[in-house]
Amino acid sequence: MVKINENLKKIISDNSFIKVMALTNKYKKDSPNKEVISLSIGDVTIPIPEKVVDVMLDTLNKQKYSDTFKGYGSSSGYDFLKKKILENEYGNLNFTLDEIYISNGTKIDCINILELFTNDAKVLISNISYPIYLNGSLVLNKNIYTFPLKEEDNFIPQVPNNHYDIIFLCNPNNPIGNCYNYETLKKWVDYALKENAIIIYDNVYEDFIGGDLPHSIYEIENAKKVAIEFRSFSKSLSFSGIRCSYYILPNEIYPNVNELWKERTINRFNGVNYVTQVGAEAFYLDEVQDIIKGNIGYYLENAKLLRTGLLKNGFKIWGGENSPYIWVKIKENITSWQVFELYLTKLDVVVTPGIIFGNAGDKYFRVSALGKRKDIIKAIERITRYYEKNN
Ligand SMILES: Cc1ncc(COP(=O)(O)O)c(C=O)c1O
């Protein structure tokens, strides 16, 4: 009998978003009169700008005429979108069209890229991280090492003393919500240069970064030799349902790396659909950029309200200034599933238990600012009322 991939069993866990949803749905069913507010949302809630939808509809409409119909496109994306991204996001970095790939989601891209490397490569993942890094690596039977993110380091991943080959870094970080500054990011680039290691740099929340902080790892000198950067239109353009992402695989990583990877991509993928790529290109229209700035501003204002509310209630918190996520220390002496249950049943508020991001996160929970303003305000009011009574 055929054998199943046993590695799949390694990712079955009781600490997952599936459980958060199942428990929330059960609670809603059992208490139909309660108004449950979710601060666990990892998805955007503002819809796609109308102009982008109109451009896409127009493009779709043209698919019924033989002279404007498009079949298979390039597996790594259309040049018109690649050029737009390189000009707007990586202006003076001189990447060529061969170094950028248009794809259908960073979630799948950041794991697919592991096919570039041998299975004995030592993969380093922080304990407290976006769960896909670990789960994706487990299914591929990679040689995985983990290290805890610590409160005493403000949850900034510290450069190790030992050798690793591949390092997953997420900036702005999900779930902590914090960001690297130039100095901390340089330490990782220097480590990778010294160790001949590769950084898989997940930068899907780049649009939330403000102030004097690196927007791309390639702002750090020589990062082109060691980093593969991933970005997505999911959060910025509300394309989480449409699906469009991109990544930069610099030629300097390895001789002929893009010849090899292009061949692999042709063999595995027929490209993101044309209509979606035209929609993604419209992201860069001035009128759309104005709307996007407004949307990001709205989420960041939500985050500010959450931060203020949590601080007022005496919580210790991280993030939420350049990211839609806030990492919160549990005040009671209970686990993150217990705090989840406490807030669900006493406040009708859903938070994400920290243990979902690794067992080092069990004293914390994550809240998200991606929801609607009125819900954010109500959730803070409920938390405040609860602690006024119970303090
Ligand atoms: C850190 C991080 N990376 C990647 C993704 C997924 O991005 P995409 O929608 O492009 O697959 C998410 C989505 O929540 C995320 O939080």
Side-chain angles (χ1 to χ4, degrees):
M1 197 174 127
V2 65
K3 284 192 192 140
I4 210 82
N5 178 0
E6 290 290 319
N7 297 314
L8 285 167
K9 294 185 185 157
K10 296 183 194 162
I11 65 169
I12 295 175
S13 160
D14 213 22
N15 296 315
S16 69
F17 280 101
I18 296 170
K19 186 168 159 187
V20 171
M21 275 186 314
L23 292 174
T24 306
N25 289 338
K26 182 176 181 315
Y27 180 75
K28 281 183 181 170
K29 207 170 147 215
D30 294 346
S31 330
N33 299 327
K34 300 271 174 78
E35 187 206 19
V36 177
I37 294 174
S38 180
L39 294 181
S40 182
I41 303 171
D43 198 357
V44 284
T45 48
I46 302 175
I48 301 165
E50 193 176 342
K51 174 71 186 174
V52 174
V53 175
D54 287 347
V55 167
M56 291 173 79
L57 283 174
D58 193 40
T59 311
L60 181 60
N61 209 24
K62 287 185 181 141
Q63 298 309 299
K64 64 188 178 202
Y65 304 115
S66 58
D67 53 346
T68 44
F69 164 74
K70 298 272 186 199
Y72 291 127
S74 153
S75 57
S76 64
Y78 281 94
D79 282 356
F80 68 82
L81 180 56
K82 292 182 177 181
K83 279 184 191 152
K84 263 277 148 46
I85 294 170
L86 290 181
E87 257 167 46
N88 285 279
E89 311 287 351
Y90 298 100
N92 50 7
L93 286 160
N94 299 321
F95 287 115
T96 65
L97 296 182
D98 284 335
E99 295 173 286
I100 176 166
Y101 295 76
I102 310 297
S103 187
N104 57 4
T106 295
K107 190 177 202 168
I108 193 158
D109 295 338
C110 69
I111 298 303
N112 276 345
I113 202 74
L114 293 175
E115 285 179 30
L116 248 185
F117 310 102
T118 57
N119 265 13
D120 60 351
K122 293 169 99 178
V123 179
L124 188 64
I125 302 170
S126 58
N127 177 352
I128 304 183
S129 67
Y130 180 51
I132 306 311
Y133 309 148
L134 182 64
N135 290 343
S137 304
L138 281 169
V139 172
L140 294 176
N141 202 21
K142 292 287 173 183
N143 186 12
I144 304 165
Y145 294 79
T146 61
F147 69 104
L149 290 191
K150 294 187 185 144
E151 188 177 324
E152 70 225 46
D153 300 323
N154 267 323
F155 298 101
I156 298 282
Q158 300 297 302
V159 170
N161 296 320
N162 304 335
H163 171 81
Y164 297 96
D165 298 295
I166 297 167
I167 301 125
F168 277 93
L169 296 182
C170 181
N171 186 65
N173 189 279
N174 179 10
I176 309 292
N178 58 5
C179 259
Y180 291 109
N181 59 27
Y182 285 94
E183 196 189 331
T184 47
L185 191 54
K186 185 176 181 320
K187 283 189 189 157
W188 275 105
V189 171
D190 289 346
Y191 169 84
L193 287 164
K194 183 166 90 31
E195 297 291 330
N196 279 320
I198 295 292
I199 296 172
I200 295 182
Y201 194 69
D202 180 346
N203 196 3
V204 301
Y205 297 98
E206 183 272 333
D207 292 85
F208 288 83
I209 303 175
D212 184 26
L213 295 166
H215 284 249
S216 164
I217 195 166
Y218 303 120
E219 289 179 53
I220 308 294
E221 204 182 347
N222 287 323
K224 275 187 179 184
K225 295 182 180 159
V226 292
I228 307 171
E229 178 165 298
F230 297 80
R231 292 199 199 174
S232 174
F233 291 102
S234 286
K235 311 288 159 151
S236 53
L237 191 53
S238 300
F239 262 24
S240 50
I242 300 283
R243 314 300 300 146
C244 194
S245 60
Y246 57 93
Y247 55 94
I248 303 284
L249 178 59
N251 285 331
E252 288 169 54
I253 294 271
Y254 187 79
N256 302 331
V257 68
N258 278 304
E259 273 173 45
L260 294 169
W261 195 246
K262 206 130 281 173
E263 208 53 45
R264 177 266 178 212
T265 306
I266 288 167
N267 276 283
R268 293 285 291 279
F269 187 48
N270 272 329
V272 173
N273 73 73
Y274 177 64
V275 176
T276 295
Q277 293 191 59
V278 171
E281 186 194 26
F283 175 72
Y284 295 105
L285 293 172
D286 286 345
E287 63 180 283
V288 175
Q289 282 289 300
D290 288 345
I291 295 168
I292 302 299
K293 281 194 187 99
N295 295 351
I296 300 286
Y298 175 90
Y299 293 132
L300 286 173
E301 183 60 29
N302 282 351
K304 197 170 165 188
L305 291 170
L306 279 169
R307 279 181 56 87
T308 311
L310 290 162
L311 287 170
K312 263 195 192 148
N313 281 290
F315 282 98
K316 197 163 181 196
I317 59 168
W318 293 262
E321 285 167 311
N322 295 282
S323 149
Y325 298 123
I326 300 170
W327 188 242
V328 190
K329 185 156 190 186
I330 300 170
K331 291 213 270 186
E332 299 80 0
N333 193 18
I334 55 176
T335 68
S336 59
W337 277 116
Q338 286 168 332
V339 89
F340 167 85
E341 199 191 324
L342 176 77
Y343 291 170
L344 182 62
T345 55
K346 299 269 187 272
L347 313 180
D348 303 323
V349 169
V350 185
V351 298
T352 310
I355 198 166
I356 284 182
F357 307 97
N359 57 14
D362 205 19
K363 289 190 164 62
Y364 310 85
F365 61 93
R366 187 194 77 175
V367 294
S368 160
L370 292 171
K372 296 199 163 59
R373 178 72 44 85
K374 66 173 180 25
D375 290 337
I376 302 275
I377 292 170
K378 257 191 212 166
I380 298 165
E381 281 168 2
R382 290 183 193 177
I383 291 170
T384 306
R385 237 179 287 130
Y386 175 79
Y387 282 102
E388 274 169 4
K389 252 201 240 158
N390 290 283
N391 261 349

